[in-house]
Amino acid sequence: MTVPMVVRVPDGLLASVPAEVRGSGRDDVRLMVSRGEAVSHHAFRDLAGQLRAGDVLVVNTSATLPSAVDGTVAGRPVVVHFSTRGSDGRWAVELRTPAASGSTERRMGDRSGTVVALPGGERLVLDEALSPDRLWWARSSAVDVPGLLHRHGRPIRYGYTERDQPLAAYQTVFALPAPGGLGSAEMPSAARPFTVELVAELVRRGVQFAPITLHTGVASAEAHEPPYPERFEVPRATARLVNAAKAGGGTIVAVGTTAVRALESATGPDGVVREASGWTDLVVTPERGVRVVDALLTGLHEPEASHLLMLEAIAGRQALAVAYDQALRRLYLWHEFGDVHLILPAENPHPAHCYRNAR
């Protein structure tokens, strides 16, 4: 497998609060646009000028859950990150140690049979290791775990953020309720800057939206593991829309790596998207490539192999290196509250008047 590109991001470029806290609104972020090795810089509000009528934005409708819950193990405080509900009713969870900053730190040394006391008299029992020293399949005494999360949980927060934020700060404009109260442990953050007004402008210009669902599990700022299987759904209407747009010369733009994973999981070797649902363990790499996705709107990623390799599969390694060098030089902000990057095909340039620098 290709060795992931090395990116070192100064702490000062890690977005610590939402855009609406540091600026005028959640769409007050910068947009870096790559077409091959040609890079331009814009405001996110100018996104509509970078797309054409007939292009399709594939968006993830998964809602973010308040997946972090305080508990205790043998009287000592822990924070449980609820990740994914398995088909057998167990939950994939990560136990973390509370930090003085209000965030959490990696915890190691837990064993099968460890009992976690949860709020409301509920408990969690670690059952089977899912990844070394981090993720576990666990059984909860709570019949309704999503209900437990909404009563006692809060959004997962990592150390680079300044303080806890309300759950609304972690929801995108595309989020919808899902059967059984399922959702994402962490926000599908590439779509965060979208507003109702921008969506209306894009629709008015002839850009189409195609919904998919992929419920994301927990990431880890320390482990940089590839994603494990996640629940997804690509509806029949989305498959038809993407196939028709592709045949008509439209650009298929995935909004976020989760949209790439879901859509590519539903696409055959013939490049045709079909209705699909269930679990996907797909990891998109340069070797595997992409079959239907032409472009990607995404946040800026630190050296997490699965994400950067996916970006390389779409942009190419050299083009990605050029873009990230510019992002660092121009002080773009990283992570879920940061700036965004639009990767478009190099062979399909837009008219020169569409370019407009910002900030």
Side-chain angles (χ1 to χ4, degrees):
M1 179 181 287
T2 303
V3 176
M5 188 177 73
V6 175
V7 180
R8 293 185 175 87
V9 184
D11 289 345
L13 297 186
L14 306 180
S16 60
V17 295
E20 60 271 27
V21 174
R22 62 177 188 267
S24 62
R26 62 166 54 204
D27 59 348
D28 190 11
V29 299
R30 286 182 287 175
L31 173 68
M32 180 172 63
V33 180
S34 296
R35 294 180 174 86
E37 294 183 29
V39 180
S40 56
H41 304 276
H42 312 263
F44 183 77
R45 295 177 179 125
D46 298 330
L47 175 64
Q50 307 303 316
L51 303 174
R52 302 171 302 169
D55 290 348
V56 174
L57 289 169
V58 181
V59 296
N60 189 356
T61 63
S62 180
T64 308
L65 298 175
S67 293
V69 177
D70 293 325
T72 59
V73 172
R76 295 178 179 271
V78 298
V79 178
V80 182
H81 288 177
F82 282 82
S83 179
T84 304
R85 188 176 72 186
S87 300
D88 59 1
R90 295 185 300 175
W91 280 78
V93 302
E94 179 182 18
L95 270 56
R96 295 179 67 88
T97 299
S101 65
S103 181
T104 60
E105 298 172 346
R106 191 174 184 186
R107 173 187 169 96
M108 302 175 69
D110 290 308
R111 298 180 179 180
S112 177
T114 295
V115 178
V116 184
L118 298 175
E122 304 292 354
R123 69 176 198 159
L124 189 74
V125 181
L126 301 189
D127 191 1
E128 177 187 358
L130 180 56
S131 67
D133 293 313
R134 192 171 83 87
L135 291 168
W136 290 82
W137 284 117
R139 298 188 183 276
S140 173
S141 62
V143 175
D144 177 17
V145 170
L148 172 73
L149 300 183
H150 282 286
R151 288 191 300 274
H152 301 290
R154 60 188 179 278
I156 288 175
R157 172 190 162 198
Y158 286 113
Y160 52 81
T161 54
E162 188 176 290
R163 58 185 179 272
D164 286 343
Q165 299 291 337
L167 182 60
Y170 290 86
Q171 302 293 10
T172 76
V173 72
F174 305 110
L176 294 171
L182 296 181
S184 288
E186 297 183 3
M187 172 177 53
S189 56
R192 189 182 190 278
F194 281 88
T195 61
V196 172
E197 293 77 13
L198 179 57
V199 170
E201 180 184 357
L202 287 160
V203 171
R204 186 170 62 249
R205 291 182 178 226
V207 176
Q208 302 176 89
F209 287 84
I212 58 88
T213 301
L214 186 137
H215 298 311
T216 68
V218 296
S220 171
E222 306 93 355
H224 304 317
E225 299 163 348
Y228 51 89
E230 294 169 316
R231 291 179 183 269
F232 83 105
E233 180 182 8
V234 175
R236 181 178 303 176
T238 287
R240 288 177 174 173
L241 174 58
V242 170
N243 290 333
K246 191 85 170 180
T251 300
I252 309 303
V253 185
V255 178
T257 57
T258 61
V260 176
R261 196 181 199 201
L263 196 61
E264 290 289 323
S265 296
T267 305
D270 56 0
V272 176
V273 184
R274 296 172 176 85
E275 178 184 13
S277 64
W279 294 86
T280 178
D281 59 1
L282 176 65
V283 178
V284 176
T285 65
E287 289 83 2
R288 191 270 187 189
V290 287
R291 294 170 176 172
V292 71
V293 170
D294 300 308
L296 173 63
L297 180 69
T298 183
L300 293 160
H301 299 280
E302 285 193 272
E304 301 168 73
S306 61
H307 285 158
L308 283 182
L309 289 177
M310 179 186 288
L311 268 60
E312 284 187 34
I314 295 169
R317 190 182 187 94
Q318 182 57 31
L320 189 62
V322 169
Y324 270 52
D325 178 67
Q326 291 219 19
L328 290 169
R329 290 175 182 271
R330 289 176 175 259
L331 305 182
Y332 274 68
L333 297 179
W334 257 250
H335 290 305
E336 67 269 28
F337 296 141
D339 299 314
V340 286
H341 182 195
L342 176 62
I343 301 169
L344 290 170
E347 67 276 9
N348 191 25
H350 288 225
H353 70 267
C354 291
Y355 292 85
R356 204 176 82 182
N357 288 336
R359 291 200 286 188

